Amino acid sequence: MSDQTSIFHLHLVSDSTGETVDGVARACVAQFPDVQAHEHVWPLIRTDAQLARVLADIERHPGIVLYTVFNSEIRRKLEEGCRRIQVPHSHVLDTTITMMAGYLGQQSRGRIGALHKMDEDYFNRIEAIDYALSHDDGQATWDLEDADVVIVGVSRTSKTPTSVYLANRGIKTANIPFVPGCPVPPELDQLKKPLVIGLIKDVDQLVSIRKNRLRQIERGEGGDYVDPVAVRAEVFQARRYFTERNWKIINVTRRSIEETAAMIMAILNDRREENE
């Protein structure tokens, strides 16, 4: 691949939903900021006819092939096809599974869709997602005690996507906006079980994001909502409010949603270990 090439074809093949290979691929591509992947996503590939369509597309658009295929026959044919077309290919879980098998002294079972079986964890995730959606942006505050995490933050600190991300990992999360001059729900000061997290952001970035948001929804100038002096006072007030209650504070200025969620999960795990 030449240095001038900025786009390459990336084929993601799975005999299940494809979520695993997609996640690994995105994490890897993110390490190469000067390139862009043109993704060809192929989930639920379980028959020869389906595989033939995949290989035909790979031949039309040669590139990198990443896969999570546990059916031995389909995997063999996919790998043979990739060798024939002469494209690089890799099973993204092979190294990790081999390492675990050696450490545990057991052979993996190669179960298709094992990650997505409808077990207790699956239903916990569904329950957490339902909870996050029904407790978004200050809704349904009467049962906040049922949450694992309550996020409080000024506008445009990614409270909702962070809550949904955590919910997808089975963490029941509510989020509440911090708005100057508007009281937060009194239930917040009575919480015993949930971890409460305060989110803040750099003033300049906050003003920029809010202005972009107003342009998108065609809402005019915005007043104090985008005034740097007012926003600085808002962030200061929020930080002081969070500090007075001894809540953990996360500055999300240069953090992705995933990084913010990872920090919250680490704090939650530490808290749970302390309480054991």
Side-chain angles (χ1 to χ4, degrees), residues 249-261:
I249 300 174
I250 298 177
N251 188 325
V252 300
T253 301
R254 283 175 286 276
R255 290 192 172 93
S256 66
I257 291 164
E258 293 84 357
E259 289 171 328
T260 301

Side-chain angles (χ1 to χ4, degrees), residues 159-178:
K159 297 184 296 297
T160 295
T162 302
S163 297
V164 173
Y165 187 97
L166 290 169
N168 270 286
R169 277 140 187 81
I171 299 171
K172 294 171 70 173
T173 308
N175 75 81
I176 295 171
F178 183 91

Side-chain angles (χ1 to χ4, degrees), residues 137-158:
D137 203 31
Q139 300 181 77
T141 58
W142 58 83
D143 62 346
L144 288 177
E145 191 63 40
D146 293 337
D148 297 309
V149 174
V150 177
I151 295 173
V152 186
V154 298
S155 175
R156 315 318 299 174
T157 48
S158 300

